[in-house]
Amino acid sequence: MLAAVFNGVGDIRVEQVADARVESPTDAVVRIRAAGVCGSDLWYYRGTDPLDPGSRLGHEFVGIVEEVGSEVTRFRPGDRVVAPFSYSDGTCSSCRDGLPTSCSAGGFWGGDASPGGAQAEAIRVPFADANLVRVPSAGDSAADLLPFLVLADVLPTALHAVTTGEVGPRSTVTIVGDGPVALATVLCALRQGAEQVLVLGHHPERLALAEKFGATSTAVSPDDAEAVTELVRREFGDRSSTAIDCVGTQSSVDSALAAVRDGGVFSYVGLPITGAQVTLLDVFDRNVSIRGGIAPARRYIPELLHDLAEGRIDPSPMFEQLLPLTEVQAAYAAMDQRLAVKAAVLP
């Protein structure tokens, strides 16, 4: 089968690899209809996060079950499914506590070993009963299944951001970032009843999309913390009750901390690959709570699936590039050059 393979910085190739197959009785093989390119994938593409050449890429996919192992009871060939960006066994103490990303038997799609990456024609899904979620698609094509691709990562991460950020009715929320997760966080903050949502970003066209999603205000993010504080106070009359970092750089962390009021919540879901830091002294005198981390996506998918299927949330406008799998290099370049908010490849 064909799969996207990392060959070096800025060099993503489509190569023939061994077919995905059932290796354990709890496995399923899913024929992929659409796979996302995530902002975190760009860390490898840019060389910010080292990756071994030959590694497989991608952790967001929707598709159709093609084969199941003898112990899979919840799924059958032909089922239309989505999976979270990580897999877990569903039975360990971490899974039972709602933290499947900490499962000792689990892992993440991609890398240099099975189960492989999601930017491919098919994928092996370990612990299929625990990880797959059936979607109510009316058909089997990429167009039919694409709306559910956001459930793999973007939308659950956004819901995690506002959940850990304790967003609710009358909340004022500052979102730092204008990528897919930040835009989805606008939808989720409003879903939770937020009264006002301010998005700080750097790209006018993305800020316009944030407003389309319902943000009450947007602004180009200032370069220093004092200016951020001043801007947020002008918008809300005070700093915000919740500030959410959807980027993961030191600058974005500093901006979020500058935006949150004393006694508020700083929530972080941006991958801090470059080593962003917060010292306890930054928050001690202000009684700011720090919450967040990697999203336990599988936990959030069912409720988000219901809202997505009912049309209560619609993140689909962020998918601005849909390309064949054979053009995955162009999909990465489009996101790297900010020509698309979100790109997907269609095997």
Side-chain angles (χ1 to χ4, degrees), residues 1-14:
M1 68 179 190
L2 296 177
V5 177
F6 178 78
N7 192 61
V9 175
D11 187 0
I12 312 299
R13 302 183 184 183
V14 176

Side-chain angles (χ1 to χ4, degrees), residues 6 13-14 61 67 75 91 94 100 104 110 118 125 156 158 181 187 190 195 258 260 264 267 309 312 319 338:
F6 178 78
R13 302 183 184 183
V14 176
F61 68 92
E67 183 182 1
F75 299 94
T91 61
S94 293
S104 59
V125 179
V181 169
L187 297 172
L190 296 172
E195 185 175 271
V260 67
S267 175
R312 283 190 283 271
F319 282 99
R338 300 296 192 267

Side-chain angles (χ1 to χ4, degrees), residues 101-119:
T101 46
S102 294
C103 175
S104 59
F108 297 85
W109 315 110
D112 57 2
S114 183
Q119 293 160 10

Side-chain angles (χ1 to χ4, degrees), residues 65-320:
V65 175
E66 190 169 77
E67 183 182 1
V68 297
S70 60
E71 295 180 15
V72 175
T73 61
R74 296 181 56 206
F75 299 94
R76 291 291 178 266
D79 285 344
R80 307 168 183 98
V81 294
V82 65
F85 60 81
S86 65
Y87 59 89
S88 56
D89 65 14
T91 61
C92 71
S93 59
S94 293
C95 290
R96 294 195 303 272
D97 289 342
L99 203 61
T101 46
S102 294
C103 175
S104 59
F108 297 85
W109 315 110
D112 57 2
S114 183
Q119 293 160 10
E121 292 184 309
I123 194 166
R124 179 177 75 87
V125 179
F127 312 114
D129 281 343
N131 293 294
L132 294 177
V133 178
R134 194 175 287 105
V135 299
S137 174
D140 294 345
S141 70
D144 295 319
L145 291 170
L146 184 65
F148 302 101
L149 183 57
V150 290
L151 294 170
D153 187 345
V154 172
L155 210 51
T157 297
L159 183 54
H160 188 56
V162 300
T163 300
T164 59
E166 300 179 6
V167 174
R170 297 181 300 279
S171 291
T172 56
V173 182
T174 298
I175 298 170
V176 180
D178 54 17
V181 169
L183 294 171
T185 301
V186 174
L187 297 172
C188 288
L190 296 172
R191 176 185 183 271
Q192 300 293 94
E195 185 175 271
Q196 293 177 280
V197 178
L198 165 66
V199 178
L200 301 180
H202 290 97
H203 305 90
E205 69 282 0
R206 295 185 176 196
L207 294 176
L209 185 53
E211 292 178 3
K212 181 177 180 179
F213 281 176
T216 52
S217 55
T218 62
V220 174
S221 185
D223 292 330
D224 66 272
E226 288 185 8
V228 170
T229 299
E230 182 180 346
L231 187 158
V232 174
R233 281 177 169 156
R234 285 201 306 269
E235 292 293 334
F236 296 149
D238 189 5
R239 287 186 282 192
S240 54
S241 57
T242 300
I244 300 172
D245 173 31
C246 296
V247 183
T249 63
Q250 190 64 57
S251 176
S252 63
V253 167
D254 292 344
S255 292
L257 285 172
V260 67
R261 72 188 183 203
D262 290 10
V265 181
F266 162 59
S267 175
Y268 64 99
V269 292
L271 179 63
I273 199 68
T274 55
Q277 297 181 2
V278 178
T279 68
L280 292 181
L281 195 59
D282 291 329
V283 296
F284 183 82
D285 288 346
R286 299 175 57 204
N287 279 295
V288 169
S289 298
I290 303 175
R291 305 282 304 279
I294 188 169
R298 179 61 181 83
R299 189 174 89 199
Y300 294 119
I301 290 176
E303 60 178 293
L304 288 167
L305 174 60
H306 182 71
D307 283 0
L308 198 63
E310 294 293 323
R312 283 190 283 271
I313 50 177
D314 179 18
S316 61
M318 70 174 67
F319 282 99
E320 296 178 323

Side-chain angles (χ1 to χ4, degrees), residues 36-50:
V37 177
C38 179
S40 63
D41 291 331
L42 297 180
W43 294 121
Y44 309 124
Y45 182 79
R46 294 168 178 161
T48 308
D49 189 16

